[in-house]
Amino acid sequence: MAEYREQPGPHDSDTPTYPPHGRRTMARVVERNVRALLERRAKEERAKTRSERIADGVTRFAGSMTFVYLHLAIFGTWILWNTGWIPGLPRFDPSYVVLAMVASVEAIFISTFVLISQNRMAELADKRADLDLQVSLLAEHEITRTLALVAAMAHRMGIEDAGDPELDELSRDVHPNRVLDSIEQNAEYFSRHGGPRQ
């Protein structure tokens, strides 16, 4: 059996030659999708403002073990210094009021940077959720049309299962607004009565 080989060309990286069927085609599709996602993430990274880059950098550093070790060293030295255990060094914060103030101010700024990063990540997550919803709706529409076509073929061929009333319901388009309304109504009923509708 002849083995498939890609034909090189001047634009081979842009327009590769695909085999008609098989795993190679699927691998190419997955590779294309992964590349598209990586390019999209790189584009989003380039679109960040300077303040967003600073917030992400601070958040990334605050969530690392280096941050923990650094604070253990600073706070440990501070505490040992002001307990008088280090000879020759006068205590400058015996009540640790300054230490508490420094830690509080640092916590305020770090939490603000974290919130900035989380807001941006939530915005990106909303966009990806919208994309997932659109893809799901498109897939549902395609499946519905395919099911309607198969049911019509089954009717013409006289197949017994073609008269199943469930097929008629499955071959109807799903309206997202109606689904959301149903979810909200059932959630409200569940919260009021402590169980689902019978």
Side-chain angles (χ1 to χ4, degrees):
M1 180 179 292
E3 184 179 357
Y4 166 76
R5 296 180 183 275
E6 292 184 1
Q7 300 298 324
H11 305 288
D12 184 58
S13 59
D14 297 330
T15 57
T17 303
Y18 297 102
H21 302 289
R23 297 180 180 178
R24 187 66 175 171
T25 303
M26 181 60 66
R28 289 286 186 176
V29 172
V30 172
E31 183 180 352
R32 181 198 63 190
N33 292 338
V34 170
R35 187 182 299 113
L37 290 174
L38 292 176
E39 291 175 355
R40 181 69 182 186
R41 289 185 179 180
K43 181 180 178 181
E44 292 171 350
E45 188 71 19
R46 291 191 300 268
K48 289 195 302 186
T49 62
R50 179 178 297 180
S51 60
E52 290 174 341
R53 294 179 187 276
I54 293 174
D56 288 345
V58 172
T59 301
R60 195 178 304 112
F61 177 68
S64 65
M65 288 304 298
T66 303
F67 182 83
V68 175
Y69 296 147
L70 181 62
H71 279 68
L72 283 175
I74 294 175
F75 290 165
T77 303
W78 190 307
I79 293 172
L80 290 176
W81 191 325
N82 288 279
T83 52
W85 290 359
I86 303 179
L89 295 178
R91 294 189 296 176
F92 62 92
D93 187 22
S95 61
Y96 303 107
V97 174
V98 179
L99 177 62
M101 181 188 68
V102 170
S104 299
V105 172
E106 181 188 47
I108 292 172
F109 278 101
I110 289 178
S111 60
T112 303
F113 286 127
V114 170
L115 288 174
I116 293 173
S117 296
Q118 286 183 344
N119 288 338
R120 190 181 62 82
M121 293 175 62
E123 183 179 353
L124 294 176
D126 289 340
K127 292 181 181 179
R128 290 165 186 163
D130 290 339
L131 175 61
D132 289 340
L133 176 60
Q134 294 299 325
V135 172
S136 298
L137 291 176
L138 178 61
E140 188 276 333
H141 181 74
E142 292 174 348
I143 293 172
T144 300
R145 296 277 75 80
T146 303
L147 183 59
L149 179 61
V150 171
M153 294 170 60
H155 275 295
R156 298 235 355 162
M157 297 172 64
I159 299 177
E160 182 179 354
D161 290 340
D164 189 348
E166 188 177 356
L167 290 177
D168 293 333
E169 183 177 354
L170 292 174
S171 60
R172 298 175 186 172
D173 284 326
V174 176
H175 298 279
N177 291 333
R178 295 180 182 176
V179 175
L180 291 174
D181 291 340
S182 177
I183 292 175
E184 292 176 356
Q185 292 173 3
N186 282 277
E188 183 178 358
Y189 185 90
F190 188 91
S191 63
R192 289 183 178 180
H193 299 86
R197 292 181 178 180
Q198 301 297 328

